[in-house]
Amino acid sequence: MHFYVMTLFPDMINNAMSESITGRAIRAGHISVKSVNIRDFSDNKHKHVDDYPYGGGAGMVMQAEPVYKCYRHIYEEIQSTYKENRVSLRVVYLTPQGKTFNQKMAAEYANEENLVFLCGHYEGIDERVIEKIVTDYVSIGDYVLTGGELPALVVMDAVSRLVPGVLNNCISAHTESFSDNLLEYPQYTRPENWRGESVPEVLLSGHHQKLAKWYREQSVIRTALMRPDLLEEAELTQEERELADKVIKYGKET
Ligand code: ADE
């Protein structure tokens, strides 16, 4: 998986991605991250990339041409790595006006070989270049940030961990929150007794069937408590449905 990021703040992208699990994935060659500075494509002697909005109003707007040149630079670089036919690219524009990012979109993006991100700043980007190059409009939630870099990092992080090899425990990406529209069950580690609180008995039993049943039940209970909205899309047995309904009605101690 090769990520390309068009940004005015490449250090923000590179610094964050080079840490922790994504950093390890880069060093192991499972993913690559290339940040390209839009400012490098400014023709202006002061390297400005923004101007006043037509029609007036507050703030500045990023100009179309530096963004377009930056995109063409990335586009040519990607195409040059393919010998034959040109590949189509997904260009993701991070904007609060986009579709709200979720685990399903992360899984879909993880199937791509290349993903290009466009991070805006100021009051936005000239609409003409957006219309020319962008394929996907993505938001990370209903709030407004100062730029697209943090959202791009959020998306890249969520996608990276679904790329084969990135997580050393290959089943963990399947048993976790949101797969099957259920939240993950609670986890415990040593000591067995922590300040008077003990670990649920079943976890010490080593009985695989009982464990699997407990994990599943806990996921249903958690989801019913924390995110009952997810249960509409979850595939539950009759028994699990009844458990969820009881938890919703009477709370945790049913
Ligand atoms: N840019 C500014 N706010 C954003 C958000 N919530 N999601 C994606 N991009 C953004």
Side-chain angles (χ1 to χ4, degrees):
M1 165 65 71
H2 302 289
F3 297 116
Y4 296 83
V5 187
M6 298 186 257
T7 172
L8 290 173
F9 300 97
D11 289 349
M12 226 172 135
I13 301 294
N14 296 336
N15 289 342
M17 287 300 283
S18 65
E19 296 284 342
S20 184
I21 292 173
T22 49
R24 196 181 63 196
I26 292 168
R27 291 187 291 277
H30 299 303
I31 61 170
S32 72
V33 180
K34 182 157 189 184
S35 307
V36 185
N37 195 335
I38 296 167
R39 203 175 293 288
D40 292 345
F41 298 87
S42 166
D43 284 336
N44 187 290
K45 71 171 186 235
H46 303 291
K47 294 277 166 204
H48 287 166
V49 291
D50 59 333
D51 211 328
Y52 296 99
Y54 277 118
M60 303 290 270
V61 176
M62 273 167 77
Q63 293 172 294
E65 188 62 10
V67 173
Y68 188 64
K69 282 189 173 145
C70 182
Y71 168 71
R72 290 300 306 184
H73 174 85
I74 291 170
Y75 178 86
E76 292 302 340
E77 181 172 321
I78 295 172
Q79 300 301 347
S80 71
T81 64
Y82 294 89
K83 285 199 184 69
E84 286 149 21
N85 300 332
R86 308 223 123 200
V87 287
S88 58
L89 291 179
R90 273 176 115 153
V91 179
V92 179
Y93 176 42
L94 290 314
T95 165
Q97 299 178 8
K99 180 172 172 195
T100 308
F101 187 61
N102 60 28
Q103 191 64 27
K104 192 167 157 230
M105 288 156 78
E108 199 184 301
Y109 286 154
N111 291 324
E112 300 283 326
E113 276 178 49
N114 303 283
L115 268 182
V116 183
F117 294 95
L118 172 58
C119 304
H121 258 270
Y122 312 113
E123 295 307 302
I125 302 178
D126 189 308
E127 190 66 21
R128 292 167 294 184
V129 70
I130 294 174
E131 282 176 9
K132 209 169 184 76
I133 69 173
V134 169
T135 61
D136 298 38
Y137 296 76
V138 173
S139 165
I140 61 161
D142 288 343
Y143 40 82
V144 181
L145 301 167
T146 56
E149 283 75 15
L150 288 170
L153 286 164
V154 166
V155 174
M156 285 189 286
D157 189 287
V159 172
S160 295
R161 56 193 294 293
L162 301 179
V163 171
V166 171
L167 298 185
N168 37 29
N169 181 356
C170 66
I171 57 161
S172 63
H174 289 285
T175 58
E176 66 194 4
S177 294
F178 301 113
S179 62
D180 295 335
N181 281 294
L182 290 175
L183 300 180
E184 197 181 14
Y185 50 80
Q187 304 268 15
Y188 301 85
T189 188
R190 285 197 284 191
E192 202 177 308
N193 189 299
W194 176 75
R195 294 179 180 245
E197 306 282 344
S198 50
V199 169
E201 198 68 43
V202 60
L203 296 178
L204 311 173
S205 72
H207 192 297
H208 293 294
Q209 251 169 322
K210 275 193 198 161
L211 273 172
K213 184 166 179 284
W214 187 82
Y215 289 147
R216 178 82 188 174
E217 263 173 25
Q218 291 298 314
S219 282
V220 172
I221 293 170
R222 272 238 148 159
T223 313
L225 284 172
M226 314 265 228
R227 290 290 307 276
D229 57 300
L230 289 177
L231 290 171
E232 280 169 40
E233 301 282 319
E235 277 187 41
L236 300 184
T237 64
Q238 179 69 25
E239 201 183 336
E240 287 168 345
R241 228 358 110 198
E242 284 166 14
L243 172 63
D245 289 344
K246 249 200 264 174
V247 171
I248 290 169
K249 210 161 166 190
Y250 304 111
K252 201 175 175 177
E253 310 302 332
T254 52

